[in-house]
Amino acid sequence: MQTKAQDRSRWWILGAMGAILGVILLDETVVSVALPTIRAELHLSRLDAHWVVNIYLLVLACFAGAAGRLGDILGIRVLLGTGLVIFGLASALGGFADSGFSLLTARAVQGLGAALIFPLSLVVLIQSFDEKERGLALGLYGGIGTIFLSMGPLVGGLLTEYLSWRWIFWVNPPIVLIVAAIAWKYWSDPPHQPEHGFDWKGLVMLVPGLAAVVFGIMEGPDRGWTQPEVLVALVTGLIFLVLFVRVERNRTAPLIAISLFTNPSFAASNMILFTAQFGKIALFVFGASCFQSQLGYSPLAAGVALLPIAIPQIFIAPMAGKIADRFGTRQPSLTGTALGTVAVVVVALGMHLETAAVIYAGFFLWGCCVPFLFVPPRRAIMFSVPQDLHGQASGISMTFQLLGGTVGMALGSSVYAITGSFPMVFCFVAAFAACVLAFSYVSLERKKTPAPTST
């Protein structure tokens, strides 16, 4: 039985991990509203301003998977603390940036700190709750994080308009200090056999491979998909990633266990996370753009218009966790993906009709679905691997999620550049989600199964 102290500690850990997840997710969107002001004050070109957002996502996506594996080897407590220090200091320096170069550097370092925190916060949460309560904990954790993400445009607009854009970075260090104090007091790594032999060869192929592919995808809409630098980046990145897969299959202690993807449930759950982030970024970025350019909203009003995505999650996230605990992960995941696809179609219809009420209805339905797109799949991922691979599985899932947002942003921009139509962007997102729904229907585990144990 748990003591009262242990019972209190797990809820403190849940609050701390949810808060730091929220800050990391907030930094994905909070900067976007402030970009015009930052660009004018620091005299940035349009492309440099674009990278203020993208360099954070790029570094975060490249290193999240490696951080999960390092957590299994070095121990979670030390690595999580290191990530918090890096993220907090980089955030403070970003607020003091006096040039585009210093701001981009701070954002890149901030992404590295976030990459260490992101997967390990999930492992800490998973290992702090027993199997019966993990769904509830994941629901609350994901709900806190997603609410922060949803509030990003609104918070960015308020801080930029009434204080300074620098405060979008300065709000982070106090939260980081509180989280670090709670984690240091209440979390200790469980006993485990120390591991050795980090797969540096895999890291050397994975990071440039992902970086080159993401660079090509991000820059393609701006520079042109046929430009030499874009083509070279995409081809080089794909070569590195193919070599990475071939090498990892033959290693006894790989950076990323490719063999995990032979489990259909693991593969499908990661694809749902990819699709969820794909849709989320499309809704935030292109939804806000539609409200401003097509319906005449101000930036702050556009941020407020996105609140129907966030509000229902406050109430549904804990329910999603309980439902996953009781009924397993298959039906909640499939239901969330199906209704999420419908929600995106409704948004596309509302934009075609230029009717805000219909768009709000689609936003609200999507907000109701979001917890089921993140909580049950994450639960399925963790239950499909042994405990000593939780860090690696978490890193893989976070990498897929982050790449979903990156790829979604790039592809959505390309669709809009070709068609000039916001509804077509969301029709494309819905078509992709429908394909993932079909794959998940045949792949997700049909029975509730406990997490496997190491042999």
Side-chain angles (χ1 to χ4, degrees):
M1 292 181 61
Q2 290 182 318
T3 65
K4 290 184 178 180
Q6 290 172 327
D7 185 69
R8 287 195 301 270
S9 68
R10 62 194 174 126
W11 296 111
W12 278 104
I13 288 172
L14 171 61
M17 295 304 103
I20 197 60
L21 171 69
V23 169
I24 290 172
L25 295 179
L26 183 72
D27 270 49
E28 292 182 20
T29 58
V30 71
V31 177
S32 59
V33 176
L35 277 182
T37 305
I38 295 173
R39 180 180 175 185
E41 185 170 328
L42 299 183
H43 309 291
L44 303 178
S45 68
R46 185 189 60 81
L47 187 59
D48 288 340
H50 180 73
W51 274 105
V52 172
V53 176
N54 286 347
I55 199 168
Y56 175 80
L57 295 175
L58 177 58
V59 176
L60 180 52
C62 285
F63 286 95
R69 177 61 179 159
L70 281 172
D72 291 332
I73 295 173
L74 301 177
I76 295 169
R77 196 169 192 246
V78 171
L79 204 61
L80 179 64
T82 302
L84 289 168
V85 170
I86 292 173
F87 185 81
L89 289 177
S91 297
L93 292 175
F96 287 108
D98 58 0
S99 68
F101 177 78
S102 59
L103 180 57
L104 290 173
T105 301
R107 286 289 282 171
V109 177
Q110 197 181 21
L112 179 61
L116 296 177
I117 298 168
F118 209 168
L120 298 181
S121 67
L122 179 58
V123 178
V124 169
L125 184 74
I126 288 290
Q127 295 186 5
S128 297
F129 287 81
D130 59 34
E131 183 178 327
K132 293 181 180 179
E133 293 184 317
R134 281 177 182 169
L136 173 61
L138 282 169
L140 294 171
Y141 167 82
I144 294 170
T146 306
I147 289 169
F148 270 72
L149 178 64
S150 303
M151 296 293 288
L154 178 61
V155 171
L158 287 171
L159 292 177
T160 302
E161 186 168 342
Y162 294 107
L163 293 174
S164 166
W165 64 266
R166 299 179 184 277
W167 279 98
I168 66 178
F169 300 108
W170 287 339
V171 296
N172 292 339
I175 299 175
V176 167
L177 286 174
I178 294 171
V179 169
I182 292 173
W184 198 259
K185 179 176 181 180
Y186 291 112
W187 171 260
S188 297
D189 290 341
H192 71 285
Q193 186 67 31
E195 299 183 39
H196 303 282
F198 180 72
D199 183 15
W200 293 107
K201 186 176 181 180
L203 183 64
V204 167
M205 287 184 288
L206 175 65
V207 171
L210 282 179
V213 170
V214 170
F215 175 85
I217 293 174
M218 286 181 172
E219 292 293 310
D222 291 324
R223 298 176 182 242
W225 292 102
T226 59
Q227 292 300 306
E229 62 270 26
V230 174
L231 292 174
V232 169
L234 290 172
V235 172
T236 303
L238 289 174
I239 290 173
F240 269 103
L241 292 179
V242 169
L243 291 174
F244 171 77
V245 171
R246 293 189 63 179
V247 169
E248 295 299 280
R249 283 179 173 175
N250 298 320
R251 296 188 71 87
T252 55
L255 180 68
I256 291 180
I258 303 298
S259 60
L260 293 177
F261 287 93
T262 60
N263 182 325
S265 185
F266 183 88
S269 296
N270 276 287
M271 283 307 302
I272 292 174
L273 291 176
F274 182 98
T275 306
Q277 193 74 0
F278 191 146
K280 183 190 296 183
I281 293 298
L283 286 166
F284 285 135
V285 175
F286 295 101
S289 296
C290 178
F291 273 107
Q292 293 178 69
S293 64
Q294 192 166 312
L295 300 180
Y297 284 44
S298 69
L300 185 57
V304 173
L306 296 174
L307 290 179
I309 299 176
I311 292 172
Q313 295 177 47
I314 300 172
F315 307 99
I316 295 178
M319 294 171 52
K322 291 180 179 179
I323 289 171
D325 285 337
R326 183 173 181 180
F327 298 104
T329 56
R330 176 181 168 82
Q331 289 304 323
S333 297
L334 293 177
T335 301
T337 306
L339 292 179
T341 304
V342 172
V344 174
V345 172
V346 172
V347 171
L349 177 63
M351 290 181 177
H352 175 71
L353 299 174
E354 296 189 356
T355 305
V358 177
I359 300 175
Y360 291 150
F363 282 177
F364 184 81
L365 179 57
W366 173 266
C368 293
C369 296
V370 165
F372 296 99
L373 292 170
F374 285 99
V375 176
R378 283 203 179 107
R379 187 178 185 273
I381 288 168
M382 289 304 184
F383 278 16
S384 64
V385 302
Q387 180 171 315
D388 59 354
L389 290 177
H390 274 177
Q392 186 167 164
S394 174
I396 292 172
S397 69
M398 295 299 181
T399 299
F400 261 72
Q401 177 180 330
L402 293 166
L403 288 177
T406 299
V407 172
M409 179 64 191
L411 293 179
S413 297
S414 298
V415 172
Y416 184 74
I418 294 169
T419 65
S421 168
F422 288 112
M424 286 303 298
V425 172
F426 288 96
C427 287
F428 177 78
V429 174
F432 185 88
C435 293
V436 172
L437 175 62
F439 173 69
S440 301
Y441 181 80
V442 299
S443 301
L444 285 174
E445 178 65 46
R446 294 179 179 273
K447 297 179 181 179
K448 291 199 297 182
T449 55
T453 57
S454 301
T455 56

